[in-house]
Amino acid sequence: ELCERLSEMKKRLSRKGYVFLGNEPMKLSVDTLAYGYTGKEFASALKASGIVAEFYAKELTVLMPTPMLTQKELDSLEAALSSIPRKAPLESRTPTLPRPEKVLSPKEALLLPTQTLPTEECEGRILCHAVLSCPPAVPIAVLGERLNAETVRAMLYWGITECKVAKEGYSIRTAAVSD
């Protein structure tokens, strides 16, 4: 029954310009960029109406109504969504996942002396500790890979602000101080 009510709600909201991602019947995954907001901005607008999003990212907000919601609560959810004014769509610049150069095995990278640097200073450096952002919920680079400009851009886009990389002055294969 809830799935049917959510499906009807999605249809009504779609006529108002909403774009829903995926096809999970119990989720409202809103493409917020298409509606003119970042996921965070959209989640904040909902929160002002007393609705807390399950998840938000740069490009979407996810709501997961429970089967325990009353019709009145579902109506309140739809009213809150309908009250958010539609704006001009935002352009998505989601970076593709890069393919950094593999230089070392993960084990070799873990054994190197490291330093933590702001991500924007890590181009050309070897990643020595895992970093992960959700989304995309997959590593942008893995241990032992040399971070290139594309990798650094993707990390910054997904909110990774610092990385543990190999200290300068250590050789790649021996971890000994270089001359």
Side-chain angles (χ1 to χ4, degrees):
E1 181 183 329
L2 178 61
C3 291
E4 291 172 23
R5 292 188 291 171
L6 289 174
S7 176
E8 291 303 312
M9 181 191 301
K10 286 179 183 179
K11 287 177 188 173
R12 288 189 298 275
L13 291 169
S14 292
R15 288 192 290 272
K16 294 179 181 183
Y18 276 92
V19 175
F20 294 96
L21 305 169
N23 57 5
E24 294 178 72
M26 295 291 290
K27 284 186 182 176
L28 299 169
S29 298
V30 180
D31 178 345
T32 57
L33 294 181
Y35 206 69
Y37 298 83
T38 65
K40 183 176 183 177
E41 292 168 338
F42 195 83
S44 293
L46 284 173
K47 194 170 186 178
S49 296
I51 309 289
V52 178
E54 180 74 23
F55 173 82
Y56 65 84
K58 290 187 181 291
E59 303 165 343
L60 73 138
T61 297
V62 178
L63 302 164
M64 295 177 60
T66 70
M68 302 306 291
L69 288 180
T70 65
Q71 185 60 49
K72 183 178 177 181
E73 290 167 323
L74 282 174
D75 291 344
S76 294
L77 171 61
E78 187 169 354
L81 288 164
S82 295
S83 73
I84 298 172
R86 186 176 182 193
K87 299 192 303 189
L90 300 177
E91 187 178 321
S92 176
R93 292 195 171 114
T94 305
T96 57
L97 289 178
R99 295 181 182 250
E101 171 193 7
K102 181 181 177 182
V103 179
L104 300 172
S105 73
K107 180 181 177 182
E108 290 171 318
L110 277 171
L111 296 174
L112 287 176
T114 64
Q115 64 185 119
T116 301
L117 294 175
T119 301
E120 52 272 0
E121 295 177 21
C122 291
E123 184 177 344
R125 304 296 288 273
I126 299 167
L127 186 65
C128 292
H129 286 257
V131 290
L132 186 67
S133 172
C134 182
V138 293
I140 296 167
V142 297
L143 286 66
E145 291 181 334
R146 186 181 317 279
L147 303 180
N148 58 31
E150 184 182 12
T151 307
V152 168
R153 274 193 304 278
M155 288 176 150
L156 290 169
Y157 178 86
W158 293 111
I160 298 169
T161 58
E162 62 182 25
C163 298
K164 282 193 177 184
V165 294
K167 278 188 177 181
E168 291 226 36
Y170 284 83
S171 71
I172 292 174
R173 290 286 174 193
T174 64
V177 176
S178 300
D179 293 332

